[in-house]
Amino acid sequence: QLKAELARQRYCLENLEIEKQQYSLDSRALKDKIAKTQERLQHREEAKQRLESNYNDHLRSLRATDDDLVSIANKLRQLKAMIANLTDDLVDNVDPKCATGALRDFWLNLRHAIEQMGPLLPLNRIRMLTEKYMMDFLIPNMTPHYVPGLAVEKDYCALEVWLRSHDRYMAMRLRQEVAKCIVNNSDRLLTKSINQTSQHLYTSLSQAYPHMKQYDNVEADPEKRYETKVRQLVEYSIALGFAMKGQEADIVAAVVQEGVQPFNQAMMIDEEGRTAGQIEFCICPPFVIYNSTMPYTTVLEKGRVFCSPPRRA
């Protein structure tokens, strides 16, 4: 009986050993299969990354600059910072009476709203309206339908509108190629536009800040002159505009109806931190990525506005 029990246990052990060996073989086979699957996945991931890289390289080759949406948003913030810095410099030597008079005359449609803020604007409102004026002046450089340096701009706009109604992709490609051509020949094509725009902005600002010209007349270092700082603003906005025109997406400054439009917290921030009210002044419009099927789908950079408080019922 003992021998029979030993024989039975030996038989069980032999079967377990056989099962163990089979499990080992199955495990090895599965590990090999997993390794081959992971290798195929790795190859596919590498191929996908190569395709994405080649596609992005192709897109960059079509653009006027190396910018993408992220860098454009960063540059919009940089432009606003440049405007704020220049404004702070100007306000340090402001004549409030002179600035108030000039700022009222800058916008015919906003004169009454500015007058409502008092006979003499406080410094924070002078600063706000100066920033607004500079941004308003520079905005055309960053719109799809204004192309500095393009001698046949009216004809281009007419063709672009016609193409857009028939083939949006071809209209986008036309915009990209025109932008790239001008950027590649910027020294020859943009100098006149930059000079004229800079001079116009400088002259207008000097109406509110006469000390600009007085300072420039005696400043020996050209880099420190207001004329140079204004020119840098213009150059930066034009370059940013061509970066926008070179994108596949339509990047536009959203229209803000001052004195009419209610505050939209998703698209803008208020100068006083309000979350509701009617927009009285748009210091900087929201920049949005426009989609033909769903307008203003993505806010690239929020706008900045000054609202009147909501009226109580």
Side-chain angles (χ1 to χ4, degrees):
Q1 187 176 2
L2 182 59
K3 288 183 178 179
E5 179 63 23
L6 289 172
R8 189 181 65 80
Q9 289 185 1
R10 187 180 297 112
Y11 177 75
C12 289
L13 288 172
E14 289 174 352
N15 284 339
L16 288 172
E17 183 64 28
I18 292 172
E19 288 181 12
K20 177 185 175 183
Q21 293 175 1
Q22 186 61 47
Y23 286 147
S24 296
L25 291 173
D26 291 346
S27 176
R28 193 176 300 115
L30 286 172
K31 287 180 180 178
D32 291 343
K33 190 173 182 180
I34 290 172
K36 290 179 180 178
T37 301
Q38 290 177 333
E39 185 178 1
R40 286 198 299 272
L41 287 174
Q42 180 65 26
H43 288 161
R44 289 179 181 177
E45 183 62 27
E46 290 173 355
K48 177 187 173 184
Q49 290 176 356
R50 284 195 298 271
L51 284 173
E52 288 179 347
S53 178
N54 290 337
Y55 178 68
N56 289 331
D57 288 343
H58 170 67
L59 291 182
R60 278 193 291 270
S61 72
L62 300 177
R63 296 169 183 165
T65 68
D66 290 332
D67 291 284
D68 56 18
L69 295 177
V70 173
S71 67
I72 287 174
N74 289 334
K75 288 183 176 181
L76 280 169
R77 288 188 280 273
Q78 177 61 26
L79 177 63
K80 289 193 283 188
M82 292 169 67
I83 290 174
N85 290 337
L86 178 55
T87 301
D88 286 342
D89 195 358
L90 291 172
V91 172
D92 281 344
N93 298 283
V94 69
D95 175 351
K97 184 177 181 181
C98 178
T100 297
L103 289 168
R104 284 174 180 166
D105 292 336
F106 281 167
W107 302 275
L108 293 177
N109 61 318
L110 298 176
R111 183 180 179 89
H112 178 70
I114 296 173
E115 288 175 344
Q116 293 295 105
M117 290 192 286
L120 199 64
L121 291 172
L123 290 183
N124 63 332
R125 296 295 169 244
I126 290 176
R127 179 181 290 104
M128 180 186 79
L129 292 174
T130 301
E131 289 186 49
K132 169 179 170 54
Y133 180 74
M134 282 192 263
M135 182 58 77
D136 283 0
F137 192 95
L138 297 173
I139 280 291
N141 296 331
M142 296 173 280
T143 58
H145 304 300
Y146 172 65
V147 188
L150 184 62
V152 291
E153 184 184 6
K154 290 184 179 179
D155 294 330
Y156 161 78
C157 288
L159 176 59
E160 196 271 344
V161 169
W162 181 86
L163 264 180
R164 185 174 290 271
S165 65
H166 293 82
D167 189 331
R168 293 187 65 87
Y169 175 77
M170 285 302 297
M172 178 267 292
R173 287 293 299 118
L174 174 66
R175 185 186 70 218
Q176 285 184 312
E177 288 300 322
V178 169
K180 188 173 183 179
C181 176
I182 293 175
V183 168
N184 289 342
N185 297 276
S186 57
D187 290 342
R188 180 168 56 88
L189 296 177
L190 288 176
T191 301
K192 183 178 179 181
S193 292
I194 291 172
N195 289 340
Q196 290 178 342
T197 307
S198 300
Q199 187 57 44
H200 188 181
L201 179 56
Y202 180 79
T203 301
S204 297
L205 285 174
S206 64
Q207 294 174 20
Y209 301 94
H211 75 274
M212 291 173 64
K213 291 185 176 180
Q214 298 167 8
Y215 178 88
D216 287 356
N217 287 336
V218 297
E219 176 55 58
D221 186 353
E223 292 301 312
K224 294 181 180 179
R225 294 173 187 162
Y226 286 107
E227 188 174 21
T228 300
K229 295 176 181 179
V230 169
R231 183 183 180 88
Q232 288 170 346
L233 269 182
V234 171
E235 289 175 340
Y236 195 90
S237 68
I238 288 177
L240 178 53
F242 279 113
M244 293 177 175
K245 294 174 180 69
Q247 299 299 303
E248 299 74 48
D250 292 337
I251 303 172
V252 299
V255 175
V256 177
Q257 295 178 301
E258 295 164 304
V260 177
Q261 187 172 327
F263 178 73
N264 182 343
Q265 196 169 4
M267 295 181 65
M268 54 193 71
I269 58 174
D270 177 67
E271 184 78 359
E272 303 291 324
R274 295 190 178 97
T275 56
Q278 180 178 282
I279 298 170
E280 295 296 333
F281 301 100
C282 175
I283 299 110
C284 176
F287 284 86
V288 297
I289 302 171
Y290 183 81
N291 185 304
S292 61
T293 59
M294 190 183 298
Y296 307 153
T297 54
T298 304
V299 178
L300 186 64
E301 178 66 12
K302 282 190 174 185
R304 178 177 157 219
V305 299
F306 175 76
C307 292
S308 58
R311 296 176 181 175
R312 295 181 179 179

